[in-house]
């Protein structure tokens, strides 16, 4: 695919048919989004992981719909080619289908997201059917769904037991039937992710779910080495070290009067 071709949902579906892996990453501001877009990212997700990596919360529970829509507006300004997906935060879609539709419309009208993502399986199929019927493209999210952190008591691997694996597998099939165009599979076993990916005709986008998914997604801060190291998140930059070195050099240059120089100053 040419780097300049706009990524659309039909294109994402075609990539699965053609066996082309889908590259996805989160973004939370226009600057980072523009760099990801220029690099050729297929999907840019404004993830509610922002609650953790941007807002500094311990989980994704607190971030609000207003905050997510606002951030998606920023990201929109940096994205030209990638498919832009807004993440529906906790409390913005669980109460009713009407609430979900209203929240999703805010992402699309105010921030010009091209799709939204929501977490969960069979409990949401009625809502997803309505959303897609109204022209709202929906991405599913199964396995370790971080908004259920209080139910799970943390962030465990999911689908290890036969019963849990069967339930996640059925949920994936139900989400496809309800109309989602793709499903994020988070922290499930490699075997289960492979089975789901081989069974569904829509793409699976894995995170911590092994190599057999149709695409992969990471939180940008994790792959850039800006936060703690996770086994599943390959680091492409030691970002925290690079930034700390730059900050230290800047401080040193100010203290030593090395910055600014004549070349970096203006005269009348
Ligand atoms: O919020 C997020 O960043 C996500 C990705 C990890 C898939 O949901």
């Amino acid at each position: 695919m040419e780097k300049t071709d706009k990524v659309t949902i039909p294109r994402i579906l075609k990539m699965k048919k053609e066996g082309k892996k889908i590259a996805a990453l989160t973004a939370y501001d226009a600057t980072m989004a523009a760099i990801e877009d220029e690099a050729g990212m297929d999907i840019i997700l404004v993830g509610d992981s922002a609650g953790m990596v941007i807002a500094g919360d311990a989980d994704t529970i607190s971030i609000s719909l207003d905050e997510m829509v606002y951030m998606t507006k920023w990201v929109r300004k940096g994205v030209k080619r990638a498919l832009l997906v807004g993440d529906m935060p906790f409390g913005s879609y669980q109460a009713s289908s009407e609430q979900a539709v209203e929240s999703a419309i805010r992402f699309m009208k105010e921030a010009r997201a091209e799709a939204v993502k929501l977490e969960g399986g069979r409990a949401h199929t009625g809502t997803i059917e309505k959303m897609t019927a109204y022209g709202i493209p929906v991405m599913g999210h199964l396995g370790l769904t971080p908004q259920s952190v209080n139910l799970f008591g943390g962030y465990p691997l999911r689908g290890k037991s036969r019963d849990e694996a069967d339930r996640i597998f059925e949920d994936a099939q139900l989400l496809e039937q309800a109309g989602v165009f793709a499903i994020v599979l988070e922290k499930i076993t490699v075997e289960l992710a492979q089975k789901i990916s081989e069974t569904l005709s829509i793409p699976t986008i894995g995170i911590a779910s092994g190599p057999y998914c149709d695409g992969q997604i990471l939180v940008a801060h994790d792959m850039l080495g800006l936060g703690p190291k996770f086994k599943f998140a390959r680091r492409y930059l030691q970002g925290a070290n690079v930034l700390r070195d730059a900050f230290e050099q800047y401080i040193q240059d100010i203290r030593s009067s090395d910055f600014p120089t004549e070349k970096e100053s203006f005269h009348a």
Side-chain angles (χ1 to χ4, degrees):
M1 195 193 319
E2 290 299 311
K3 267 191 178 182
T4 48
D5 287 351
K6 174 76 190 102
V7 182
T8 58
I9 286 165
R11 188 174 282 274
I12 291 290
L13 295 170
K14 192 160 167 252
M15 286 177 80
K16 160 115 186 179
K17 279 211 182 78
E18 293 174 350
K20 282 191 191 147
K21 293 273 189 173
I22 299 162
L25 192 62
T26 65
Y28 315 99
D29 65 71
T31 305
M32 188 72 84
I35 299 168
E36 293 179 18
D37 196 61
E38 277 163 32
M41 208 64 67
D42 299 307
I43 297 176
I44 295 184
L45 170 73
V46 186
D48 66 351
S49 48
M52 299 171 81
V53 299
I54 303 293
D57 294 334
D59 54 41
T60 60
I61 299 297
S62 296
I63 197 155
S64 70
L65 178 62
D66 282 346
E67 287 163 336
M68 287 301 302
V69 171
Y70 194 35
M71 220 176 316
T72 308
K73 276 189 201 173
W74 299 341
V75 171
R76 170 78 281 168
K77 293 177 204 170
V79 176
K80 292 191 176 74
R81 176 188 167 274
L83 185 79
L84 177 61
V85 182
D87 206 2
M88 308 258 281
F90 185 61
S92 71
Y93 61 94
Q94 289 89 348
S96 64
S97 300
E98 290 71 25
Q99 185 203 27
V101 168
E102 281 170 14
S103 301
I105 286 175
R106 285 199 58 195
F107 274 101
M108 296 182 75
K109 268 185 106 81
E110 294 175 36
R112 301 307 304 242
E114 293 157 307
V116 293
K117 176 170 84 58
L118 57 81
E119 296 184 6
R122 61 199 72 196
H124 301 289
T125 50
T127 293
I128 292 166
E129 274 169 23
K130 284 203 179 116
M131 293 167 82
T132 49
Y134 297 151
I136 302 166
V138 183
M139 180 183 255
H141 187 156
L142 292 174
L144 173 59
T145 43
Q147 292 174 13
S148 300
V149 59
N150 292 309
L151 206 58
F152 298 149
Y155 300 101
L157 176 66
R158 309 234 33 238
K160 260 166 62 177
S161 73
R162 183 64 193 267
D163 280 358
E164 198 171 82
D166 286 349
R167 197 172 165 82
I168 295 170
F169 180 67
E170 282 166 18
D171 275 342
Q173 291 180 304
L174 290 169
L175 286 188
E176 177 170 33
Q177 283 160 25
V180 300
F181 71 92
I183 304 179
V184 169
L185 297 177
E186 181 161 355
K187 208 172 179 184
I188 61 174
T189 64
V190 171
E191 296 76 16
L192 177 59
Q194 182 174 14
K195 183 175 163 192
I196 294 173
S197 304
E198 286 174 1
T199 306
L200 301 191
S201 47
I202 53 167
T204 59
I205 312 290
I207 172 165
S209 296
Y212 301 110
C213 296
D214 302 301
Q216 296 291 329
I217 186 161
L218 285 174
V219 169
H221 286 53
D222 294 344
M223 60 89 84
L224 294 175
L226 293 171
K229 172 88 187 91
F230 298 109
K231 169 184 157 91
F232 61 88
R234 185 180 296 176
R235 282 188 163 179
Y236 291 84
L237 188 74
Q238 298 301 328
N241 295 346
V242 171
L243 292 181
R244 198 176 306 104
D245 286 352
F247 297 147
E248 283 173 3
Q249 186 64 54
Y250 173 66
I251 293 166
Q252 197 180 310
D253 289 353
I254 293 172
R255 301 252 198 274
S256 65
S257 298
D258 185 61
F259 173 79
T261 59
E262 270 298 307
K263 272 194 192 157
E264 290 156 330
S265 307
F266 301 94
H267 292 279

